[in-house]
Amino acid sequence: MREEVVLITGANGEIGHGLIHYLSNKGYPIVALDVNPLDPALKSEVLTAIVGDILDQVLLGRLVVEHKIRTIYHLASILSTKAEYNPETAHRINVEGTLNLLRLAVEQSNWQGQSVKFIYPSSIAVYGLPSLQAKQNSGKLAESEYLNPTTMYGCNKLYCEHLGRYYNHYYRQLAADSNSSLSVDFRALRFPGLISAETIPTGGTSDYGPEMLHAAAKGENYNCFVRPDATLPFMVMPDAIRSLIMLQEADRSRLTQNVYNVTSFNPDANEIREITLKAFPGAEINFVPDVKRQGIVDTWPNDISDAAARNDWDWHPEYDQKRAFDEYLIPAIKARYHARGD
Ligand code: SER
């Protein structure tokens, strides 16, 4: 009998770190896949760590025969800023990679005779507001509004939301042998910017939030690449992990959509600076906006509505802005760099 496992792609990333800690504490056997060797700190928490590419069909084929995969957290992705430097490569990883994983889920569900859960982090990057004025006046955006992304990453995430919905409800609907009860159970979260005390993101556009805090804690000067008034929704990593788990565990019959917004607070960059300076009074943080990265932030919403998630699976963040900084980020970041002697 093959052991039932949870597959996590992009295991080395920020969300991967938090998710592996959580699931391994709960006793789940984890197969971790990442293009880089798994962080040694995570090694003891997983059943198997595989170094490999989600575009490698042979590798994925081997995974299918070696494991009984009940749930897939498909986290691997090239984030928004990095993707703009090489959009076609980003497309291959973000879209073809996701397609490969969806096909793997189909094969697993056919073989197991039951559906496989596919949990997918999408992003506020799927939105594209036409002007700063629209951004300021549009309030909390629902899942269906302003879906005109201006980045390759945003286009990829929006399309993969649709791909997941297709594999869940319509895959091979005309084929004589298709069996809709064996579908991929696709569930996606649209995350705001995420801030973790343990890791720093790479290649994102909301990175100024976490970068500012971590730089201050390390005693480094920071030039913030957006204007002081730049506003985005944010959430801390423990809430992001909770939302992934809650959506994974949610009763399917209560889910009215495949894609759900989740969020918590939405400070402007100046507020993040003020909070950071209060916690680290010696820090030096200046605003040196990068026109292009600011341009991306200008198309992303100031805030999003997570009403559907609250209604369908009782979502609510545990950390509002005050708690996020006072009880999680600042003490945990201080402890982290203090322990390392930075
Ligand atoms: N935080 C991501 C980025 O900035 C958005 O999902 O690319």
Side-chain angles (χ1 to χ4, degrees):
M1 264 289 275
R2 281 177 265 190
E3 189 175 10
E4 286 196 359
V5 299
V6 174
L7 172 64
I8 302 179
T9 72
N12 247 341
E14 285 211 283
I15 301 175
H17 272 77
L19 191 61
I20 288 174
H21 287 326
Y22 180 90
L23 291 174
S24 88
N25 269 334
K26 295 274 171 194
Y28 286 95
I30 298 166
V31 174
L33 174 62
D34 201 284
V35 75
N36 294 310
L38 192 66
D39 181 345
L42 297 174
K43 281 242 167 86
S44 63
E45 301 184 27
V46 304
L47 178 71
T48 317
I50 300 168
V51 181
D53 192 329
I54 54 172
L55 297 176
D56 181 345
Q57 305 274 8
V58 176
L59 173 75
L60 296 183
R62 229 177 44 226
L63 272 183
V64 175
V65 294
E66 285 174 0
H67 300 283
K68 182 172 181 183
I69 300 167
R70 294 291 302 124
T71 307
I72 299 169
Y73 291 88
H74 174 40
L75 312 179
S77 180
I78 303 287
L79 293 188
S80 56
T81 291
K82 191 169 174 205
E84 290 313 303
Y85 288 97
N86 206 333
E88 290 80 13
T89 301
H91 185 279
R92 270 196 294 283
I93 293 166
N94 293 348
V95 175
E96 287 173 37
T98 301
L99 189 67
N100 288 347
L101 267 302
L102 283 165
R103 204 169 42 226
L104 182 150
V106 168
E107 285 170 26
Q108 282 278 323
S109 62
N110 282 331
W111 168 63
Q112 293 178 31
Q114 57 189 336
S115 65
V116 165
K117 281 189 189 163
F118 194 108
I119 313 298
Y120 181 69
S122 184
S123 160
I124 50 166
V126 299
Y127 292 107
L129 288 144
S131 65
L132 254 187
Q133 200 188 12
K135 177 173 159 86
Q136 276 147 9
N137 296 335
S138 55
K140 291 173 182 282
L141 295 193
E143 282 84 351
S144 58
E145 296 181 276
Y146 290 106
L147 298 175
N148 294 302
T150 63
T151 61
M152 179 53 99
Y153 173 78
C155 293
N156 295 163
K157 285 290 182 188
L158 183 58
Y159 176 62
C160 287
E161 291 179 359
H162 286 298
L163 264 185
R165 189 174 52 79
Y166 165 78
Y167 271 84
N168 195 153
H169 299 290
Y170 308 105
Y171 179 66
R172 296 181 80 241
Q173 55 192 314
L174 300 185
D177 64 342
S178 83
N179 182 348
S180 58
S181 64
L182 298 189
S183 66
V184 177
D185 183 351
F186 179 84
R187 305 174 180 203
L189 286 168
R190 265 191 212 151
F191 280 133
L194 298 180
I195 315 182
S196 170
E198 286 188 34
T199 48
I200 309 177
T202 42
T205 310
S206 57
D207 295 4
Y208 59 89
E211 280 177 1
M212 201 183 283
L213 258 176
H214 283 263
K218 285 190 274 185
E220 294 170 3
N221 294 349
Y222 185 68
N223 287 337
C224 179
F225 59 80
V226 294
R227 295 185 311 263
D229 65 297
T231 305
L232 287 180
F234 281 96
M235 191 157 93
V236 288
M237 194 55 77
D239 271 334
I241 303 304
R242 258 185 72 244
S243 67
L244 283 165
I245 301 296
M246 284 181 77
L247 181 59
Q248 190 275 129
E249 289 177 346
D251 183 349
R252 180 80 225 183
S253 66
R254 286 186 68 193
L255 301 185
T256 57
Q257 51 202 57
N258 285 101
V259 180
Y260 288 92
N261 284 348
V262 283
T263 192
S264 182
F265 47 92
N266 64 330
D268 64 32
N270 196 45
E271 258 179 290
I272 304 178
R273 179 177 181 273
E274 299 285 313
I275 294 167
T276 305
L277 288 180
K278 221 169 122 199
F280 304 98
E284 194 176 321
I285 302 166
N286 296 305
F287 288 98
V288 186
D290 173 303
V291 178
K292 292 181 182 159
R293 291 179 99 182
Q294 176 70 57
I296 294 175
V297 172
D298 288 346
T299 70
W300 290 359
N302 274 6
D303 204 358
I304 53 174
S305 166
D306 56 8
R310 287 174 184 262
N311 192 56
D312 288 4
W313 43 278
D314 308 316
W315 158 251
H316 65 91
E318 281 186 346
Y319 293 90
D320 61 11
Q321 183 166 315
K322 188 163 168 32
R323 243 197 112 201
F325 285 96
D326 293 355
E327 292 180 33
Y328 166 61
L329 289 169
I330 289 166
I333 288 177
K334 275 187 177 163
R336 174 184 163 76
Y337 292 110
H338 184 70
R340 284 178 20 168
D342 290 355

